[in-house]
Amino acid sequence: MSTIIRLTFIEIRKKKILYLTLGLTAIFLILYGTALYFAYDSLELQEPFMRATLSSQLISMGIYAMVFIVSFLSIFSSVGAISSEIDNGTYDAILAKPIKRYEIVLGKYIGILLVLIPYVTFFYLGIIELNIFFGKGFIVNLAFESILKSLLALYLLPILLTSIGIFFSCSMSTMASGITLLIMYFFGMIGGFLEQISGVITIENTKQALSNTGIITSLIIPSDIIQKKASSLLFTTSSGLNLSISSFVGAKTQPSVAMMIYILVYILVMLILAVRKFQRRDL
């Protein structure tokens, strides 16, 4: 399996989409930093609580944009991991050697994550550092423990989307896998917005319908829950106050432990299904 992991890691590094993403990430951080410079300069005359709240919204917006970019990179890195190699006939030679099919699936999966996890770390810490640098005392006091917990929660995003992408890649063509997973991702994102909107609706029937829709979409693809969990871990103070609740990209309430366990089980099931599908697939 180590050989598959190494080859996948090298393959991902050679893809143009990785370097294009890194270039666009650098441009984003420059533009985001410029916006923060002017935004924090305008907060000087605000009340302390308002400064802290607006500061949390600026961080939430940056993290939300990061989640969007990381999600796309995870999807496009994984949906062709298996199917493209099948189309090229690569596995005819590989499987002639003493390599089991599950090693290929797991090797591809781990190899992709070896690229995505460091990228998430760099991007996330870049956003936090820019806010600390330009905040100059206006930023809410972020504890190291909160930053670390939030980052660990965000790691689940590429882990989740890559597991789904690998499963689809074992089941369908690259194009079909990409389209399907993109639709699912946007489906989950819209469901998350509907659930957020339900929090400000006063009509009980409408409120319940929107909330139920958000819950159902979260069960189908819980990617939006991960973003909400990361946000709540970062901004919930020791007193329980959540400074990101006023934003649609924040989290009204912190996702439960049961939901996080569901995500872990979801990932494991996707990997098991991917292995079983690839073992049965006619190459």
Side-chain angles (χ1 to χ4, degrees):
M1 187 188 299
S2 60
T3 301
I4 301 296
I5 294 173
R6 180 175 58 84
L7 292 176
T8 302
F9 179 75
I10 294 173
E11 180 185 354
I12 293 294
R13 287 177 54 192
K14 290 181 179 179
K15 286 186 176 180
K16 292 181 180 179
I17 187 173
L18 176 62
Y19 295 101
L20 177 61
T21 303
L22 290 175
L24 292 176
T25 300
I27 295 173
F28 169 80
L29 290 176
I30 292 172
L31 294 175
Y32 180 65
T34 303
L36 290 179
Y37 172 79
F38 292 103
Y40 279 115
D41 186 60
S42 67
L43 294 181
E44 187 172 0
L45 300 178
Q46 299 290 336
E47 294 295 326
F49 179 78
M50 183 61 67
R51 289 202 300 260
T53 302
L54 293 176
S55 173
S56 71
Q57 303 309 313
L58 291 173
I59 300 174
S60 293
M61 290 171 61
I63 292 176
Y64 191 80
M66 182 207 75
V67 164
F68 197 75
I69 296 172
V70 168
S71 298
F72 269 66
L73 183 59
S74 301
I75 291 171
F76 288 117
S77 297
S78 60
V79 293
I82 302 294
S83 56
S84 61
E85 300 290 349
I86 293 175
D87 294 338
N88 295 331
T90 304
Y91 294 129
D92 293 336
I94 293 178
L95 292 175
K97 300 178 180 180
I99 297 177
K100 297 181 180 180
R101 291 196 178 193
Y102 79 86
E103 293 180 319
I104 293 176
V105 175
L106 297 181
K108 287 282 186 179
Y109 180 69
I110 296 172
I112 292 171
L113 291 180
L114 286 177
V115 174
L116 294 178
I117 295 300
Y119 174 73
V120 171
T121 304
F122 165 77
F123 205 163
Y124 176 82
L125 294 180
I127 290 172
I128 297 298
E129 287 297 327
L130 283 173
N131 278 275
I132 292 175
F133 179 77
F134 289 109
K136 298 177 181 178
F138 301 142
I139 188 173
V140 60
N141 186 23
L142 298 175
F144 174 78
E145 183 180 358
S146 298
I147 295 174
L148 180 60
K149 287 181 178 179
S150 177
L151 178 58
L152 291 175
L154 281 174
Y155 284 157
L156 287 175
L157 182 65
I159 292 173
L160 170 71
L161 292 176
T162 303
S163 67
I164 303 173
I166 288 289
F167 168 67
F168 285 156
S169 190
C170 293
S171 309
M172 301 179 285
S173 66
T174 301
M175 181 173 291
S177 299
I179 292 173
T180 303
L181 187 48
L182 277 175
I183 291 174
M184 286 181 63
Y185 176 75
F186 282 114
F187 186 64
M189 185 175 68
I190 293 172
F193 275 123
L194 292 178
E195 190 173 4
Q196 289 284 86
I197 293 172
S198 70
V200 297
I201 298 295
T202 55
I203 303 175
E204 189 59 33
N205 290 339
T206 304
K207 178 185 182 73
Q208 192 63 43
L210 292 176
S211 178
N212 289 340
T213 301
I215 293 172
I216 292 172
T217 56
S218 295
L219 293 175
I220 295 173
I221 178 167
S223 53
D224 191 70
I225 292 296
I226 295 173
Q227 183 266 330
K228 286 183 170 61
K229 183 67 174 181
S231 178
S232 62
L233 287 172
L234 184 64
F235 295 114
T236 301
T237 64
S238 58
S239 63
L241 177 64
N242 188 343
L243 294 176
S244 68
I245 58 174
S246 61
S247 172
F248 281 121
V249 298
K252 299 291 182 183
T253 58
Q254 186 171 141
S256 65
V257 174
M259 192 63 197
M260 303 312 293
I261 294 174
Y262 172 80
I263 293 175
L264 295 175
V265 173
Y266 189 106
I267 293 169
L268 181 60
V269 170
M270 285 292 105
L271 288 176
I272 293 173
L273 291 176
V275 170
R276 294 186 62 181
K277 189 67 178 180
F278 187 59
Q279 286 176 336
R280 296 176 180 179
R281 183 163 180 174
D282 185 10
L283 303 180

